[in-house]
Amino acid sequence: DAKTTQPPSMDCAEGRAANLPCNHSTISGNEYVYWYRQIHSQGPQYIIHGLKNNETNEMASLIITEDRKSSTLILPHATLRDTAVYYCIVPPLEAAGNKLTFGGGTRVLVKP
Amino acid sequence: DTGVSQDPRHKITKRGQNVTFRCDPISEHNRLYWYRQTLGQGPEFLTYFQNEAQLEKSRLLSDRFSAERPKGSFSTLEIQRTEQGDSAMYLCASSLKQGTNEKLFFGSGTQLSVL
């Protein structure tokens, strides 16, 4: 599996953008970057994924560097409900199965 | 609500007892996963099914654990002779693989406490 490195925690002010970095320097050419988050007492929730190009959906934007060795998840206007642990994951390309390896993630605290 | 249901939400049992958890995935999803999560850690993969076939099991899944998905719909995870170390959140997820992309939808989990 491509190893990912994330800061253990970060704070963000409500209403401001939250930029969550992730390093994945060993990613291979066809592996995708996925982001999930886990709000307290809930199961993980899919946010977004990408290969090379930047991606945006209703939850967030994903910026992937040209060399694909790092990415940034952007929550454009953080709310208190965005307080969660955010996981950056690079699942291996396999013939079957998408075994997500959850590392420590980044614990994001959105403050009023 | 992701559409993946798990039952029960909480289970307290005594050491040595057997427990069974149920997962109902999103109906059109052909893949189903079980994960385990202990306090302060990220979820760890246990096993997964494609339709009714169990295609992979983690080394974390000891002989006391068994999972089934008899008709390719709901799944059960049974733990026999529970131990205190089995205390954890057991998460189920389902997906519909499309090409190389696969988004997992997780349930809220079953919290197991072994006394």
Side-chain angles (χ1 to χ4, degrees):
Chain A
D1 297 19
K3 179 179 171 58
T4 62
T5 305
Q6 300 177 252
S9 64
M10 63 184 298
D11 293 347
C12 176
E14 186 180 19
R16 303 295 294 271
N19 296 307
L20 282 62
C22 178
N23 287 323
H24 32 77
S25 59
T26 61
I27 193 170
S28 69
N30 295 323
E31 290 178 332
Y32 284 75
V33 181
Y34 282 77
W35 284 81
Y36 283 77
R37 74 179 183 183
Q38 188 170 23
I39 296 170
H40 182 63
S41 297
Q42 297 182 20
Q45 175 189 24
Y46 166 84
I47 302 173
I48 198 167
H49 74 282
L51 181 63
K52 296 179 181 178
N53 300 319
N54 299 338
E55 301 288 346
T56 296
N57 63 19
E58 65 279 4
M59 290 183 68
S61 295
L62 176 60
I63 309 298
I64 302 174
T65 58
E66 192 169 343
D67 64 7
R68 300 204 337 112
K69 292 184 177 181
S70 66
S71 60
T72 300
L73 180 75
I74 301 173
L75 307 177
H77 304 288
T79 71
L80 299 179
R81 288 175 295 182
D82 292 323
T83 292
V85 179
Y86 287 76
Y87 296 98
C88 168
I89 303 169
V90 179
L93 288 176
E94 295 182 6
N98 185 350
K99 297 173 294 185
L100 302 179
T101 300
F102 291 83
T106 297
R107 189 171 298 273
V108 173
L109 176 61
V110 180
K111 297 182 175 181
Chain B
D1 182 7
T2 63
V4 178
S5 300
Q6 292 190 246
D7 184 68
R9 286 297 309 276
H10 303 275
K11 178 69 176 178
I12 300 173
T13 191
K14 293 182 179 179
R15 189 175 52 187
Q17 297 295 305
N18 299 343
V19 294
T20 300
F21 310 139
R22 177 182 170 118
C23 172
D24 286 274
I26 295 172
S27 58
E28 63 267 27
H29 285 184
N30 58 350
R31 288 188 169 184
L32 187 146
Y33 297 77
W34 286 98
Y35 283 77
R36 181 173 70 186
Q37 185 173 25
T38 54
L39 197 62
Q41 304 297 315
E44 297 173 294
F45 169 80
L46 291 179
T47 187
Y48 95 98
F49 294 82
Q50 179 146 318
N51 300 314
E52 65 275 11
Q54 187 174 17
L55 295 186
E56 189 163 350
K57 293 192 290 185
S58 163
R59 286 172 289 180
L60 295 174
L61 216 62
S62 76
D63 291 345
R64 297 183 296 105
F65 288 70
S66 63
E68 294 182 344
R69 194 183 183 198
K71 297 182 179 179
S73 56
F74 73 92
S75 175
T76 58
L77 177 68
E78 181 183 17
I79 309 174
Q80 296 182 328
R81 305 182 303 282
T82 54
E83 302 173 356
Q84 288 185 325
D86 297 332
S87 295
M89 173 75 81
Y90 290 84
L91 293 160
C92 173
S94 71
S95 73
L96 180 64
K97 187 172 173 65
Q98 294 175 309
T100 56
N101 298 323
E102 185 174 359
K103 295 184 287 188
L104 270 60
F105 293 82
F106 284 83
S108 295
T110 294
Q111 181 67 53
L112 174 65
S113 298
V114 182
L115 305 178

